[in-house]
Amino acid sequence: MDKHLEQLEKQYESVQIPEQLDVTVRSTIAQHRRKKYIGRKWIFGSIAAALLFTTCLNVSPVMAKSLSDIPVLGNVVSVLTWKTYTVDKDKYSANIDVPEIENSGSDQISSMLNEKYKQEAQALYDQFVKDMKYMDDNGGGHLGVDSGYEIITDTDQLLTISRYTVNTVGSSSTVIEYDTIDKQNELLLTLPSLFKNDKYIQIITDNVKEQMRQQMIDTNNDKYYWVDGAGIADDELFDAFTTIDSEQGFYITKDGKLVIAFDKYDVAPGYMGNPIFEIPSELLQDVLVSDQYIH
């Protein structure tokens, strides 16, 4: 056998896996097994990553030494389903998933958001039960609610969670809320916090209106917004869009672009769903606090 290979083999056999690593891996797996509603893909991915990491350390003494020189960057943020409320009875249906943030870098932010999510989900479920009882007492009918969450952005710095609620009573309405966390600086971002002053309101409003009008022209009225200056008769503009709210729904893409979001029926007919508009970053440069998030 080649002497170099013999040397590598001896190094490999002499490497000892630190007890702490093994305990950590086992503890992590056990902890997440106790989470009743974790998705299978997340579990398998976590276990596979842990096993791969352990194997690499065992096979490569060089890697083990190199890792000892690298500063710990912190825990990976995860968003899990803490609880699900369900109802499936005759013409009544409810499915409410409650997210829970772990390892955000700030226990205070995680606790605040998690408590908010739990309270809102409980209130939503309680209201559904009341409405169901009311309908039962008054001849019955169709009633449904579907609420859940989605990870919109997940970068080294930003995590954005969108939480949607679809209420169905005859027709449906959809409300989407966004929460954006700066994981590195342990901040919960708001729209006003991104800007030096409130001039952003008019800048964004003007651009959103411009995009609405242009979309209506480009699609030959397949898209339709309640906005003036688009050739819509005044009697059809029963609730024309005038301005964004100072804390309008928003998120920041992985590429650093600001997206403004509206709920169903806010600025357009129901068939338009929940409209979103990406705002050109160059329009915002003079009013941004910094280009750390939007660029």
Side-chain angles (χ1 to χ4, degrees):
M1 180 183 294
D2 186 275
K3 289 185 178 181
H4 181 63
L5 292 177
E6 288 181 357
Q7 185 179 9
L8 288 177
E9 183 179 16
K10 288 180 181 179
Q11 288 179 336
Y12 164 75
E13 292 175 347
S14 65
V15 173
Q16 299 294 319
I17 301 299
E19 286 187 18
Q20 185 177 5
L21 176 62
D22 183 62
V23 170
T24 300
V25 171
R26 292 176 182 274
S27 173
T28 300
I29 295 173
Q31 175 185 355
H32 289 291
R33 278 178 175 167
R34 288 195 294 269
K35 296 289 185 179
K36 184 175 180 182
Y37 294 101
I38 299 178
R40 291 183 178 180
K41 289 184 179 179
W42 194 95
I43 295 176
F44 292 152
S46 299
I47 295 174
L51 291 176
L52 177 61
F53 183 69
T54 306
T55 302
C56 289
L57 286 177
N58 194 22
V59 170
S60 174
V62 176
M63 178 182 175
K65 175 63 174 68
S66 298
L67 284 175
S68 68
D69 299 328
I70 298 176
V72 176
L73 298 179
N75 295 321
V76 176
V77 178
S78 57
V79 182
L80 313 172
T81 300
W82 174 75
K83 185 174 183 178
T84 299
Y85 297 89
T86 58
V87 174
D88 187 5
K89 176 185 176 184
D90 298 328
K91 297 178 181 179
Y92 306 124
S93 174
N95 188 85
I96 304 170
D97 288 333
V98 189
E100 180 178 62
I101 303 171
E102 293 188 348
N103 305 325
S104 72
S106 171
D107 291 339
Q108 183 177 5
I109 291 176
S110 295
S111 297
M112 178 188 70
L113 288 177
N114 290 338
E115 184 61 28
K116 181 179 77 165
Y117 298 158
K118 292 172 185 178
Q119 289 183 6
E120 289 178 349
Q122 183 68 58
L124 185 62
Y125 175 74
D126 290 345
Q127 185 61 51
F128 179 84
V129 172
K130 289 180 181 178
D131 292 343
M132 185 170 61
K133 184 178 185 304
Y134 175 84
M135 295 186 79
D136 270 341
D137 293 343
N138 291 272
H142 293 271
L143 182 65
V145 62
D146 181 27
S147 182
Y149 62 93
E150 182 182 357
I151 307 303
I152 299 296
T153 301
D154 189 4
T155 66
D156 290 341
Q157 184 167 29
L158 296 179
L159 173 72
T160 296
I161 305 168
S162 76
R163 294 173 298 115
Y164 61 86
T165 300
V166 181
N167 285 293
T168 306
V169 185
S171 60
S172 66
S173 63
T174 305
V175 174
I176 304 178
E177 298 181 22
Y178 301 88
D179 291 307
T180 297
I181 299 171
D182 177 342
K183 296 185 283 188
Q184 294 179 357
N185 296 304
E186 302 181 16
L187 297 170
L188 180 63
L189 302 182
T190 65
L191 194 58
S193 73
L194 301 174
F195 299 98
K196 299 174 185 177
N197 50 52
D198 63 3
K199 290 182 180 179
Y200 74 92
I201 296 176
Q202 192 62 52
I203 293 172
I204 293 175
T205 296
D206 289 345
N207 182 256
V208 167
K209 287 183 176 180
E210 181 183 338
Q211 290 192 50
M212 288 177 173
R213 296 175 187 128
Q214 192 60 49
Q215 287 182 27
M216 291 174 68
I217 294 171
D218 292 344
T219 63
N220 196 25
N221 290 337
D222 285 344
K223 289 191 175 182
Y224 190 95
Y225 298 99
W226 297 316
V227 59
D228 57 12
I232 303 174
D234 290 342
D235 59 353
E236 294 182 36
L237 287 173
F238 66 96
D239 192 13
F241 168 58
T242 56
T243 182
I244 65 165
D245 188 85
S246 60
E247 303 218 16
Q248 188 73 37
F250 80 97
Y251 61 89
I252 300 169
T253 70
K254 65 179 181 180
D255 300 318
K257 304 301 180 184
L258 176 67
V259 175
I260 296 297
F262 295 90
D263 286 330
K264 191 174 180 180
Y265 300 111
D266 272 359
V267 295
Y271 79 88
M272 291 288 292
N274 294 66
I276 59 173
F277 300 88
E278 183 177 297
I279 309 302
S281 298
E282 58 268 23
L283 296 179
L284 305 172
Q285 292 307 309
D286 291 342
V287 292
L288 285 170
V289 172
S290 75
D291 61 359
Q292 182 177 15
Y293 306 118
I294 301 170
H295 43 262

